[in-house]
Amino acid sequence: MARVFLIVMDSVGCGGAPDAAAFGDEGANTLGHIAQACADGCAETGRSGPLHMPVLDGLGLGAAIRLASGVEAPGLGAVPQGRWGAATEVSRGKDTPSGHWELAGVPVPWDWTYFPDTRPAFPADLVAQVCALAGTGGILGNCHASGVPIIAEHCEAHLRTGWPICYTSADSVFQIAAHEEAFGLERLLTLCADLAPTLHAMKVGRVIARPFTGGCGDFRRTANRKDFAIAPPADTLLDVAAQAGRATHAVGKIGDIFSMRGIGTLHKGKSDADLFEHLLRLTEEAEPGSLTFANFVEFDSLYGHPRDVAGYARALEWFDAQAGQMLRRLQPGDLAVFTADHGNDPTWRGTEHTRERVPVLCAGAGVGALGLCGFTDVAATVAAHLGLTSPGPGRNLI
């Protein structure tokens, strides 16, 4: 039986979303702008020269960027030897749950709740609930912020008072940062788990635990981050596969994003390098007829939000080399799909995700253009390859 590996390169957008202006993102293009910066010699830290991604470009990455946005990305001009296209999202958001759920066949049917960019950002009754659950006299932060700067700003006060650092962003999230030893990792995770039902009822997509260690001058966020995401509103591709008796494997934070629904085996790691080791192993060991759904988050978390163009380029080139190893291990009949959930253009203003189309690259399905498509078409294509009924309204692209 055929197997499918659905691989999300978190935030690796390719521009051109038709509604980008409504999100303040008209002209954003994660891949296109990184490639241009590399060609211009503006991304030389730890790497050099034009963006080098021969494996994914060979499947059609450069062609997908041209299709999505009309941009000729320097260094990505290969003649495609795989199936390639660019997908457009219909859910009204540019966040992780929206993108992943829609790729799994289920667009978001509601408007997410976003907190205002004010000080304070959170309503008083929510703050009171956080304090009651945490057993503290207050919270720190209470504003829109990026993770590293807000911890740096409030680290000393956090260690002195024990108050959690609470912040949000342009996404539908409530994030809580706390010191793993001084506050306690389990205490932080329990706080987030207990608070999540209230936030989910408000249609806030995720409560995110952001633990860190070290002193105020040398703190670092750890790999013990945990997302408490609202459950998908309907059965997704994972549910359909599991209900049909297929083995399902979740690599990375897929388990968090889908609230563990439809997931048979979870494969976690402290880095994308750890996660790719799982993926390489699964290409050899995953059961016939199985679905492996993987997320590689460091493009987004380590390089997109901090606006680190050179770091993002290094990560793309590393990932491309790993993808080559994976493709060589595929078995006859396997389908590998490389795509993304949204953009996070490191050349863009601010620190938030960007509304973009995403590449759809397929290995194991012949050669040819897939055209402009929808996120739900990815789910329909995967379902068809597995001999399953698609959970949503998409069409099989192959």
Side-chain angles (χ1 to χ4, degrees):
M1 296 175 68
R3 306 182 302 172
V4 175
F5 300 86
L6 178 54
I7 303 153
V8 177
M9 303 176 291
D10 202 304
S11 86
V12 183
C14 54
D19 59 355
F23 293 81
D25 294 330
E26 187 173 16
N29 191 327
T30 301
L31 281 165
H33 287 158
I34 291 171
Q36 189 62 59
C38 291
D40 292 343
C42 298
E44 296 289 297
T45 304
R47 60 164 309 281
S48 186
L51 187 63
H52 184 66
M53 299 181 66
V55 175
L56 295 185
D57 192 30
L59 292 179
L61 183 60
I65 299 169
R66 290 192 294 275
L67 175 66
S69 57
V71 169
E72 293 284 348
L76 302 178
V79 176
Q81 300 301 309
R83 293 273 191 171
W84 56 273
T88 304
E89 184 176 9
V90 299
S91 299
R92 295 182 294 275
K94 52 180 180 178
D95 52 83
T96 295
S98 296
H100 282 76
W101 293 356
E102 196 167 322
L103 287 168
V106 181
V108 179
W110 57 67
D111 288 329
W112 294 107
T113 293
Y114 302 94
F115 294 108
D117 192 1
T118 58
R119 286 180 179 264
F122 306 126
D125 58 344
L126 179 60
V127 172
Q129 184 176 1
V130 175
C131 293
L133 291 171
T136 59
I139 66 171
L140 301 166
N142 201 347
C143 61
H144 278 236
S146 185
V148 172
I150 197 72
I151 294 172
E153 180 181 352
H154 294 289
C155 181
E156 186 277 331
H158 170 69
L159 294 177
R160 175 169 45 82
T161 66
W163 292 8
I165 304 169
C166 302
Y167 60 104
T168 187
S169 69
D171 293 334
S172 181
V173 295
F174 188 95
Q175 305 195 68
I176 306 178
H179 197 279
E180 283 197 358
E181 290 82 31
F183 188 88
L185 176 60
E186 290 305 316
R187 181 184 174 199
L188 172 61
L189 296 177
T190 299
L191 170 59
C192 291
D194 290 345
L195 187 64
T198 296
L199 273 298
H200 294 166
M202 297 168 59
K203 292 297 185 285
V204 174
R206 288 176 292 164
V207 178
I208 306 177
R210 289 287 200 170
F212 65 96
T213 60
C216 291
D218 60 353
F219 71 85
R220 62 177 183 84
R221 296 195 291 183
T222 76
N224 292 318
R225 162 185 169 159
K226 185 171 178 59
D227 293 30
F228 297 83
I230 190 171
D235 283 352
T236 71
L237 181 63
L238 286 161
D239 295 304
V240 170
Q243 290 161 10
R246 305 298 182 86
T248 57
H249 297 273
V251 179
K253 65 177 186 175
I254 295 297
D256 294 338
I257 295 167
F258 288 90
S259 299
M260 289 302 294
R261 278 183 28 185
I263 293 169
T265 307
L266 185 63
H267 308 266
K268 300 283 279 187
K270 294 185 176 181
S271 66
D272 278 3
D274 290 344
L275 299 181
F276 221 110
E277 287 301 315
H278 287 307
L279 186 58
L280 291 174
R281 176 176 49 79
L282 287 167
T283 57
E284 297 180 338
E285 299 177 1
E287 302 86 342
S290 62
L291 170 63
T292 296
F293 200 162
N295 170 279
F296 291 89
V297 71
E298 289 181 353
F299 301 112
D300 184 61
S301 61
L302 297 186
Y303 308 113
H305 288 300
R307 297 300 189 247
D308 181 353
V309 180
Y312 208 129
R314 290 196 309 273
L316 287 168
E317 292 171 338
W318 169 84
F319 185 89
D320 191 76
Q322 302 306 304
Q325 291 190 49
M326 180 209 167
L327 294 180
R328 288 190 290 273
R329 300 185 187 197
L330 292 180
Q331 300 173 11
D334 287 348
L335 174 66
V337 182
F338 296 88
T339 187
D341 53 343
H342 50 71
N344 199 347
D345 186 342
T347 74
W348 204 244
R349 57 184 172 270
T351 62
E352 306 301 339
H353 295 158
T354 43
R355 179 74 164 186
E356 301 178 41
R357 287 180 168 129
V358 300
V360 179
L361 310 175
C362 300
V367 179
L370 304 175
L372 291 174
C373 58
F375 278 36
T376 55
D377 296 335
V378 174
T381 302
V382 170
H385 197 80
L386 291 172
L388 302 173
T389 301
S390 177
R395 61 186 174 90
N396 181 12
L397 297 171
I398 299 171

